[in-house]
Amino acid sequence: MKRVAVVAVSALAAAVLVAPAQARQPDQVTESQAEYVVLYKEGASGARQAVEAAGGKIVKENTAVGVATVTTTNAGFAAAARSSSAIEGVVHNRPIGSVPDQARASAGVRKAVEAKAAEKAVERAGHGAPASTGRGNPGPGAEPLAELQWDMKQIRATADGAHRYQQGGKDVLVGVLDTGVDGSHPDIAPNFNAALSRNFTVDIPVDANGADVDGPCEAEPDRSCEDPADVDENDHGTHVASSIASPINRLGIAGVAPKVSIVNLRVGQDSGYFFLQPSVDALTYAGDHGIDVVNMSYYIDPWLFNCTDNPADSAADRAEQATIIKAAQRALDYAHRRGVTLVGAAGNQAADYTKDYTDTGSPNFASVPGEAPRERTIPPSCVSMPGEGRHVVSVSSVGISKRKSYFSSYGNGYVDISAPGGDVYDTPDNTRDVTKGTLSAYPESLARARGELNPDGTPNVGYVVRDCDGSVCGYYQYLQGTSMASPRAAGVAALIVSRFGHPDRRHGGKTLAPGIVEAALKASATRTSCPDPRAFTYTRHLPNGTTATDTHVCEGGPLRNGFYGSGIVDALRAVR
């Protein structure tokens, strides 16, 4: 999946070649009504008046960082708004009312669910046998599925490791900026803070080309496009939340920090897209409400990398990308100044972010009719947000052997820290093993909708696991990705705040300066040197009978390098 930093546990990183398209010209809009995100110029007055003068109507405004969502019927709105001295930039968000009603009535969410299930079935072909629950031999004080959590053993976030000394405190709040969190999952519910959780997204039925995005609006009782703040119709956010803080409750697994509170700050669409305004709103909300740590396992769409000077882009495209960088950075700065430790996934492109990279997938969302991705050469001056933003702890992924995962992006000076995110080909014979992914919570409703359960509720696929305590059952799935590594680092950050934080006089609970948390994360990490030779070759024997090889070059020394940053996080050392 491109839009969120997760790779299905048996996924082959396949490049999809898209025919080059003309660079879009955002100022030339033909739909009857369009939506934009407008960035106000810092210190300037009259931004609202400038929006209105350009023919726009503000429907949502974040005054903390000066970002507004605007609708307009004026085809020249963007150019008119940019000409104002009070406006820093304008970004296309999505079209409104330009798609026929029959397109809106399409299969929508059902179609997206079926496509996801088909994708998993293909990628995990040959692994259809149900997985063992792992119950029977957990160690003293360990959760029933603890023996399946090789990742927690690796970072010593176990009953006889960090959890013996520190499990986190309920007054430490971890915000999950993702596709939502299933707050009813029995292995999340005890730590789910419903009062503070918010959904900053609105479902998008179709894009500018009439293609399904999130499907029809289905939230009951009024078929609203705004889902409740305790659901996840994608599965990504639930996996992340569980990795951070599944409780010790004699069911399933334990997270890295099993007693901290999870706050769902939903910024991702059901489809896995993540847009600018929700990200900005969630970050400022985190800063205003005493959130201690946030996890961001995604990049802001529609550009994997935002460039301000790339000759492959039109002037209008460059202006939009510059606006995304500025707006996202303002929000990151705002949260950081207010005590939020920012943790982000390094990305799954298997790319060295300090070298030129060929991107064939951007822009990946049609906000303008006819828009399509095109091939671009990306120099290191371009940035992926929020992962490359200032103050963000960027996390690469390692597998069970502690090698950098084959899919994980890297780069000396880019990666800050590493953590287990899985690598299904990290096996003695380089063949795929789903249990070398990471196991975390999975919404039962999605498992049923995707046909992954038998009539009696037992899993019928090898990447889904069920565990029951009496009549209460929880479902879990194996996934791999830097999306899975990042929350494990965020969990260790939450343990550090729990152990060393001081009273938060503004919000109650505890707080600890993000700079101190980051320093403690790095200082307590297990120093891990580059492989020898530094040009490490990955061999993968794929299910279709072919073999793939890729070589990644690690730069740097034992104290910091491009594969591991300052090392692999260690929960026990962090709290002792």
Side-chain angles (χ1 to χ4, degrees):
M1 182 183 293
K2 287 179 182 281
R3 292 178 294 277
V4 287
V6 60
V7 178
V9 294
S10 56
L12 165 64
V16 179
L17 299 180
V18 182
Q22 289 289 327
R24 61 177 179 166
Q25 301 295 331
D27 296 349
Q28 320 246 332
V29 183
T30 58
E31 63 263 26
S32 59
Q33 189 175 24
E35 187 172 273
Y36 294 87
V37 174
V38 176
L39 177 65
Y40 300 163
K41 188 163 289 184
E42 288 187 292
S45 60
R48 294 179 183 177
Q49 293 85 341
V51 167
E52 294 172 358
K57 178 181 178 182
I58 296 173
V59 295
K60 191 173 187 180
E61 188 178 42
N62 185 319
T63 57
V65 294
V67 173
T69 296
V70 174
T71 58
T72 182
T73 57
N74 177 16
F77 170 80
R82 286 195 194 102
S83 67
S84 169
S85 60
I87 301 297
E88 184 81 28
V90 180
V91 179
H92 258 92
N93 211 29
R94 60 172 175 156
I96 300 176
S98 61
V99 181
D101 289 341
Q102 56 265 34
R104 296 183 184 277
S106 61
V109 169
R110 179 179 59 80
K111 182 176 179 181
V113 166
E114 290 172 352
K116 178 93 173 187
E119 175 188 88
K120 285 187 177 181
V122 171
E123 291 170 345
R124 294 163 173 148
H127 292 271
S132 167
T133 64
R135 268 191 181 271
N137 296 305
E143 290 293 83
L145 302 183
E147 289 306 299
L148 303 183
Q149 293 185 278
W150 62 264
D151 50 304
M152 298 302 181
K153 295 178 183 178
Q154 185 181 99
I155 64 173
R156 301 198 288 180
T158 57
D160 59 352
H163 296 167
R164 182 179 176 185
Y165 303 96
Q166 180 62 249
Q167 297 178 12
K170 192 165 285 294
D171 56 350
V172 173
L173 308 176
V174 181
V176 176
L177 276 66
D178 217 292
T179 60
V181 175
D182 178 5
S184 67
H185 193 289
D187 223 4
I188 290 177
N191 289 337
F192 185 74
N193 188 319
L196 283 176
S197 292
R198 296 290 185 274
N199 175 15
F200 297 97
T201 69
V202 176
D203 285 349
I204 303 172
V206 290
D207 68 11
N209 292 327
D212 283 330
V213 180
D214 298 322
C217 302
E218 296 180 332
E220 299 298 339
D222 58 353
R223 300 186 68 81
S224 168
C225 285
E226 298 184 29
D227 294 331
D230 61 351
V231 300
D232 177 13
E233 295 179 340
N234 178 284
D235 78 18
H236 190 265
T238 297
H239 199 280
V240 166
S242 169
S243 302
I244 297 168
S246 271
I248 297 173
N249 59 349
R250 295 181 298 180
L251 179 72
I253 68 168
V256 177
K259 286 188 177 180
V260 303
S261 294
I262 286 294
V263 181
N264 175 21
L265 302 180
R266 178 177 167 181
V267 297
Q269 306 296 137
D270 294 339
S271 53
Y273 287 107
F274 293 77
F275 296 116
L276 178 60
Q277 181 86 52
S279 294
V280 168
D281 290 345
L283 285 166
T284 54
Y285 180 91
D288 288 339
H289 290 82
I291 307 300
D292 297 291
V293 181
V294 298
N295 185 81
M296 303 174 290
S297 291
Y298 68 95
Y299 68 84
I300 295 174
D301 295 289
W303 305 92
L304 170 56
F305 291 95
N306 297 278
C307 307
T308 60
D309 56 359
N310 194 335
D313 297 329
S314 69
D317 279 344
R318 293 196 296 270
E320 284 206 359
Q321 292 169 69
T323 301
I324 291 171
I325 295 170
K326 291 175 184 176
Q329 190 59 60
R330 277 194 204 172
L332 292 169
D333 291 343
Y334 185 91
H336 179 264
R337 288 196 302 269
R338 285 158 179 77
V340 183
T341 297
L342 307 163
V343 183
N348 297 331
Q349 299 81 34
D352 185 339
Y353 273 37
T354 67
K355 306 292 188 293
D356 283 358
Y357 172 74
T358 301
D359 175 24
T360 60
S362 301
N364 63 13
F365 179 80
S367 58
V368 177
E371 187 173 46
R374 60 182 183 271
E375 183 175 302
R376 303 190 303 158
T377 297
I378 304 297
S381 59
C382 302
V383 294
S384 185
M385 297 297 284
E388 287 192 276
R390 292 190 304 277
H391 313 307
V392 177
V393 180
S394 182
V395 186
S396 65
S397 172
V398 300
I400 191 170
S401 74
K402 299 185 181 180
R403 76 179 193 183
K404 183 189 78 68
S405 303
Y406 73 90
F407 52 78
S408 179
S409 291
Y410 57 102
N412 192 26
Y414 165 53
V415 171
D416 292 305
I417 207 86
S418 56
D423 182 340
V424 298
Y425 289 98
D426 190 3
T427 60
D429 59 359
N430 300 311
T431 58
R432 184 178 54 190
D433 179 355
V434 295
T435 67
K436 300 305 183 287
T438 64
L439 188 69
S440 284
Y442 186 26
E444 180 180 351
S445 59
L446 293 181
R448 291 190 180 280
R450 294 167 180 171
E452 295 162 341
L453 305 182
N454 295 314
D456 65 355
T458 56
N460 57 34
V461 290
Y463 51 85
V464 176
V465 176
R466 182 178 77 161
D467 185 56
C468 299
D469 182 13
S471 61
V472 177
C473 294
Y475 290 87
Y476 309 82
Q477 67 171 331
Y478 286 102
L479 291 177
Q480 66 175 3
T482 55
S483 274
M484 285 63 251
S486 180
R488 283 157 178 81
V492 176
L495 289 179
I496 291 170
V497 177
S498 299
R499 171 70 176 83
F500 301 105
H502 54 82
D504 185 343
R505 295 178 181 176
R506 284 202 309 152
H507 303 287
K510 287 186 175 181
T511 187
L512 190 62
I516 295 176
V517 178
E518 180 176 354
L521 265 178
K522 293 177 177 178
S524 61
T526 302
R527 298 288 180 262
T528 308
S529 298
C530 287
D532 184 16
R534 288 173 176 264
F536 185 86
T537 298
Y538 297 84
T539 299
R540 291 174 287 137
H541 298 305
L542 307 177
N544 62 8
T546 62
T547 297
T549 59
D550 303 282
T551 299
H552 302 166
V553 179
C554 182
E555 298 176 331
L559 297 182
R560 176 159 184 167
N561 58 66
F563 276 16
Y564 303 100
S566 295
I568 301 172
V569 296
D570 186 318
L572 178 59
R573 188 178 293 127
V575 299
R576 294 199 70 188

